[in-house]
Amino acid sequence: MARKKNKKAAAGAPAWMVTYSDMVTLLLTFFVLLLSMANMDKRKFFDALGSLKGAFGFLQSSSVSEVNKPQVISYAPMDDDYVSRLYNRVQSMLARLRIDRDIDLVKDRGAVILRVKDAILFDAGSTELKPTALPILREVAGLVKPLPLLLRIEGHTDNQKPANPAITNWDISVQRAVAVLKFFAGEDLLPLDRLSAVGYGDQRPVAPGLGPEQQALNRRVEFVLENLNQYQEQLPYLIDAADQLPF
């Protein structure tokens, strides 16, 4: 009697194993993605979440509005230890660049501030940069660029009325701050997303009194190095760099 031949087993894994492996791989990818986003901001999280929902086919209209929600930029003071270390570093850089005579370095409002007298950058009553100011501004940009901080350009004036009655100290302070910002942008010295400009007029004097020396100290442009947190609502006449294009 002839023996029955054994049936050969089907080659490869069972069909259900392929589907199961795909599901496990997708789950692993999903959790690795969640882990990689542990330190990301809320905007990036919602972007990724919306993409995942869309891939699985149940992206809701409410999710779309969440994904398109604009990111809110905020600014906060730096801690004292960091301010001190940053101050020492910038001071050394100023001395090495040999522009420490033109720029005063101060610690104020939880930030490090580069303070430049208006006479170095502008003629009296003018809002156009002097040609001799351009090398100094290039040095300032080169100093700020490697630092992982934002730069706020502040214009300040004294309390004397401008010779032209059609403009105010507010106008002069804003236009001077914007002139510096435009120079940085036009020369591609600093990225625009790190820059903002603001004018205070004569509302923040650094020297009391009405003497010529005190008034000269109050006429200045300040470069404020700062961290992220909300400050827009606290500053008058705020001008963000993103709103300055086209010039």
mmCIF file of all heavy atoms in Angstrom, residues 194-218:
data_model
loop_
_atom_site.group_PDB
_atom_site.id
_atom_site.type_symbol
_atom_site.label_atom_id
_atom_site.label_comp_id
_atom_site.label_asym_id
_atom_site.label_seq_id
_atom_site.Cartn_x
_atom_site.Cartn_y
_atom_site.Cartn_z
ATOM 1 N N ARG A 194 14.203 87.508 15.192
ATOM 2 C CA ARG A 194 14.817 87.826 16.482
ATOM 3 C C ARG A 194 14.722 89.308 16.814
ATOM 4 O O ARG A 194 15.162 89.731 17.890
ATOM 5 C CB ARG A 194 16.292 87.403 16.476
ATOM 6 C CG ARG A 194 16.526 85.911 16.426
ATOM 7 C CD ARG A 194 18.004 85.593 16.371
ATOM 8 N NE ARG A 194 18.729 86.151 17.493
ATOM 9 C CZ ARG A 194 20.057 86.142 17.600
ATOM 10 N NH1 ARG A 194 20.798 85.625 16.642
ATOM 11 N NH2 ARG A 194 20.640 86.675 18.652
ATOM 12 N N LEU A 195 14.160 90.102 15.925
ATOM 13 C CA LEU A 195 14.202 91.551 16.079
ATOM 14 C C LEU A 195 12.824 92.148 16.333
ATOM 15 O O LEU A 195 11.815 91.666 15.831
ATOM 16 C CB LEU A 195 14.777 92.192 14.812
ATOM 17 C CG LEU A 195 16.201 91.829 14.415
ATOM 18 C CD1 LEU A 195 16.547 92.494 13.096
ATOM 19 C CD2 LEU A 195 17.191 92.235 15.490
ATOM 20 N N SER A 196 12.801 93.205 17.114
ATOM 21 C CA SER A 196 11.618 94.059 17.245
ATOM 22 C C SER A 196 12.110 95.466 17.547
ATOM 23 O O SER A 196 13.251 95.661 17.972
ATOM 24 C CB SER A 196 10.678 93.559 18.355
ATOM 25 O OG SER A 196 11.327 93.601 19.616
ATOM 26 N N ALA A 197 11.249 96.462 17.281
ATOM 27 C CA ALA A 197 11.621 97.856 17.507
ATOM 28 C C ALA A 197 10.512 98.551 18.275
ATOM 29 O O ALA A 197 9.325 98.265 18.066
ATOM 30 C CB ALA A 197 11.870 98.568 16.180
ATOM 31 N N VAL A 198 10.880 99.469 19.150
ATOM 32 C CA VAL A 198 9.902 100.173 19.971
ATOM 33 C C VAL A 198 10.430 101.567 20.293
ATOM 34 O O VAL A 198 11.641 101.766 20.412
ATOM 35 C CB VAL A 198 9.608 99.382 21.276
ATOM 36 C CG1 VAL A 198 10.854 99.194 22.103
ATOM 37 C CG2 VAL A 198 8.534 100.047 22.101
ATOM 38 N N GLY A 199 9.524 102.542 20.380
ATOM 39 C CA GLY A 199 9.912 103.896 20.747
ATOM 40 C C GLY A 199 9.255 104.322 22.050
ATOM 41 O O GLY A 199 8.061 104.099 22.242
ATOM 42 N N TYR A 200 10.013 104.920 22.942
ATOM 43 C CA TYR A 200 9.497 105.379 24.235
ATOM 44 C C TYR A 200 9.424 106.899 24.344
ATOM 45 O O TYR A 200 9.001 107.415 25.380
ATOM 46 C CB TYR A 200 10.384 104.857 25.362
ATOM 47 C CG TYR A 200 10.183 103.402 25.677
ATOM 48 C CD1 TYR A 200 11.134 102.453 25.295
ATOM 49 C CD2 TYR A 200 9.054 102.953 26.353
ATOM 50 C CE1 TYR A 200 10.960 101.115 25.586
ATOM 51 C CE2 TYR A 200 8.873 101.611 26.643
ATOM 52 C CZ TYR A 200 9.830 100.696 26.258
ATOM 53 O OH TYR A 200 9.646 99.366 26.536
ATOM 54 N N GLY A 201 9.863 107.617 23.329
ATOM 55 C CA GLY A 201 9.881 109.073 23.461
ATOM 56 C C GLY A 201 10.765 109.493 24.618
ATOM 57 O O GLY A 201 11.881 109.014 24.782
ATOM 58 N N ASP A 202 10.241 110.392 25.464
ATOM 59 C CA ASP A 202 11.010 110.860 26.626
ATOM 60 C C ASP A 202 10.504 110.231 27.930
ATOM 61 O O ASP A 202 10.767 110.759 29.016
ATOM 62 C CB ASP A 202 10.934 112.384 26.723
ATOM 63 C CG ASP A 202 9.488 112.879 26.844
ATOM 64 O OD1 ASP A 202 8.550 112.049 26.789
ATOM 65 O OD2 ASP A 202 9.294 114.099 27.007
ATOM 66 N N GLN A 203 9.802 109.125 27.830
ATOM 67 C CA GLN A 203 9.142 108.538 29.000
ATOM 68 C C GLN A 203 10.065 107.696 29.878
ATOM 69 O O GLN A 203 9.675 107.324 30.977
ATOM 70 C CB GLN A 203 7.953 107.690 28.544
ATOM 71 C CG GLN A 203 6.876 108.475 27.817
ATOM 72 C CD GLN A 203 6.352 109.619 28.685
ATOM 73 O OE1 GLN A 203 5.870 109.394 29.795
ATOM 74 N NE2 GLN A 203 6.449 110.842 28.183
ATOM 75 N N ARG A 204 11.254 107.379 29.429
ATOM 76 C CA ARG A 204 12.169 106.564 30.241
ATOM 77 C C ARG A 204 13.553 107.205 30.304
ATOM 78 O O ARG A 204 14.530 106.673 29.772
ATOM 79 C CB ARG A 204 12.271 105.145 29.677
ATOM 80 C CG ARG A 204 11.000 104.342 29.873
ATOM 81 C CD ARG A 204 11.260 102.861 29.733
ATOM 82 N NE ARG A 204 10.090 102.082 30.095
ATOM 83 C CZ ARG A 204 10.054 100.745 30.130
ATOM 84 N NH1 ARG A 204 11.133 100.062 29.814
ATOM 85 N NH2 ARG A 204 8.948 100.112 30.474
ATOM 86 N N PRO A 205 13.672 108.341 30.957
ATOM 87 C CA PRO A 205 14.989 108.978 31.075
ATOM 88 C C PRO A 205 15.908 108.181 32.001
ATOM 89 O O PRO A 205 15.455 107.539 32.942
ATOM 90 C CB PRO A 205 14.654 110.345 31.669
ATOM 91 C CG PRO A 205 13.374 110.122 32.427
ATOM 92 C CD PRO A 205 12.614 109.088 31.643
ATOM 93 N N VAL A 206 17.204 108.225 31.716
ATOM 94 C CA VAL A 206 18.179 107.551 32.578
ATOM 95 C C VAL A 206 18.902 108.553 33.471
ATOM 96 O O VAL A 206 19.596 108.164 34.414
ATOM 97 C CB VAL A 206 19.212 106.770 31.743
ATOM 98 C CG1 VAL A 206 18.541 105.612 31.037
ATOM 99 C CG2 VAL A 206 19.924 107.674 30.747
ATOM 100 N N ALA A 207 18.764 109.847 33.162
ATOM 101 C CA ALA A 207 19.414 110.884 33.966
ATOM 102 C C ALA A 207 18.396 111.961 34.313
ATOM 103 O O ALA A 207 17.721 112.482 33.430
ATOM 104 C CB ALA A 207 20.585 111.496 33.201
ATOM 105 N N PRO A 208 18.256 112.290 35.604
ATOM 106 C CA PRO A 208 17.332 113.365 35.995
ATOM 107 C C PRO A 208 17.942 114.736 35.692
ATOM 108 O O PRO A 208 19.141 114.859 35.463
ATOM 109 C CB PRO A 208 17.181 113.145 37.506
ATOM 110 C CG PRO A 208 18.482 112.525 37.915
ATOM 111 C CD PRO A 208 18.940 111.687 36.756
ATOM 112 N N GLY A 209 17.123 115.745 35.711
ATOM 113 C CA GLY A 209 17.629 117.104 35.504
ATOM 114 C C GLY A 209 17.472 117.554 34.073
ATOM 115 O O GLY A 209 17.221 116.758 33.160
ATOM 116 N N LEU A 210 17.630 118.868 33.877
ATOM 117 C CA LEU A 210 17.423 119.474 32.559
ATOM 118 C C LEU A 210 18.706 120.014 31.959
ATOM 119 O O LEU A 210 18.670 120.726 30.952
ATOM 120 C CB LEU A 210 16.396 120.614 32.675
ATOM 121 C CG LEU A 210 15.007 120.215 33.209
ATOM 122 C CD1 LEU A 210 14.126 121.452 33.346
ATOM 123 C CD2 LEU A 210 14.359 119.198 32.269
ATOM 124 N N GLY A 211 19.848 119.703 32.567
ATOM 125 C CA GLY A 211 21.119 120.183 32.035
ATOM 126 C C GLY A 211 21.464 119.509 30.712
ATOM 127 O O GLY A 211 20.955 118.433 30.400
ATOM 128 N N PRO A 212 22.348 120.123 29.928
ATOM 129 C CA PRO A 212 22.729 119.560 28.626
ATOM 130 C C PRO A 212 23.305 118.146 28.729
ATOM 131 O O PRO A 212 23.024 117.296 27.882
ATOM 132 C CB PRO A 212 23.777 120.548 28.096
ATOM 133 C CG PRO A 212 23.578 121.802 28.870
ATOM 134 C CD PRO A 212 23.013 121.396 30.199
ATOM 135 N N GLU A 213 24.113 117.878 29.761
ATOM 136 C CA GLU A 213 24.714 116.557 29.898
ATOM 137 C C GLU A 213 23.664 115.496 30.196
ATOM 138 O O GLU A 213 23.696 114.388 29.639
ATOM 139 C CB GLU A 213 25.774 116.574 31.004
ATOM 140 C CG GLU A 213 26.975 117.453 30.675
ATOM 141 C CD GLU A 213 28.021 117.412 31.779
ATOM 142 O OE1 GLU A 213 27.792 116.694 32.779
ATOM 143 O OE2 GLU A 213 29.055 118.082 31.629
ATOM 144 N N GLN A 214 22.719 115.834 31.092
ATOM 145 C CA GLN A 214 21.644 114.886 31.408
ATOM 146 C C GLN A 214 20.756 114.622 30.180
ATOM 147 O O GLN A 214 20.376 113.477 29.907
ATOM 148 C CB GLN A 214 20.782 115.412 32.566
ATOM 149 C CG GLN A 214 21.456 115.371 33.923
ATOM 150 C CD GLN A 214 22.364 116.565 34.144
ATOM 151 O OE1 GLN A 214 22.394 117.482 33.316
ATOM 152 N NE2 GLN A 214 23.087 116.569 35.251
ATOM 153 N N GLN A 215 20.430 115.673 29.455
ATOM 154 C CA GLN A 215 19.603 115.522 28.281
ATOM 155 C C GLN A 215 20.305 114.665 27.220
ATOM 156 O O GLN A 215 19.672 113.843 26.534
ATOM 157 C CB GLN A 215 19.237 116.890 27.673
ATOM 158 C CG GLN A 215 18.420 117.782 28.583
ATOM 159 C CD GLN A 215 16.965 117.324 28.688
ATOM 160 O OE1 GLN A 215 16.650 116.166 28.531
ATOM 161 N NE2 GLN A 215 16.076 118.274 28.961
ATOM 162 N N ALA A 216 21.602 114.840 27.088
ATOM 163 C CA ALA A 216 22.361 114.044 26.111
ATOM 164 C C ALA A 216 22.339 112.562 26.468
ATOM 165 O O ALA A 216 22.285 111.699 25.581
ATOM 166 C CB ALA A 216 23.796 114.555 26.031
ATOM 167 N N LEU A 217 22.380 112.256 27.771
ATOM 168 C CA LEU A 217 22.325 110.858 28.200
ATOM 169 C C LEU A 217 20.965 110.227 27.900
ATOM 170 O O LEU A 217 20.868 109.027 27.626
ATOM 171 C CB LEU A 217 22.635 110.758 29.694
ATOM 172 C CG LEU A 217 24.068 111.073 30.120
ATOM 173 C CD1 LEU A 217 24.183 111.058 31.645
ATOM 174 C CD2 LEU A 217 25.045 110.065 29.510
ATOM 175 N N ASN A 218 19.921 111.046 27.961
ATOM 176 C CA ASN A 218 18.579 110.522 27.722
ATOM 177 C C ASN A 218 18.303 110.264 26.242
ATOM 178 O O ASN A 218 17.438 109.454 25.905
ATOM 179 C CB ASN A 218 17.531 111.490 28.283
ATOM 180 C CG ASN A 218 17.573 111.553 29.801
ATOM 181 O OD1 ASN A 218 17.942 110.590 30.457
ATOM 182 N ND2 ASN A 218 17.203 112.700 30.358
#
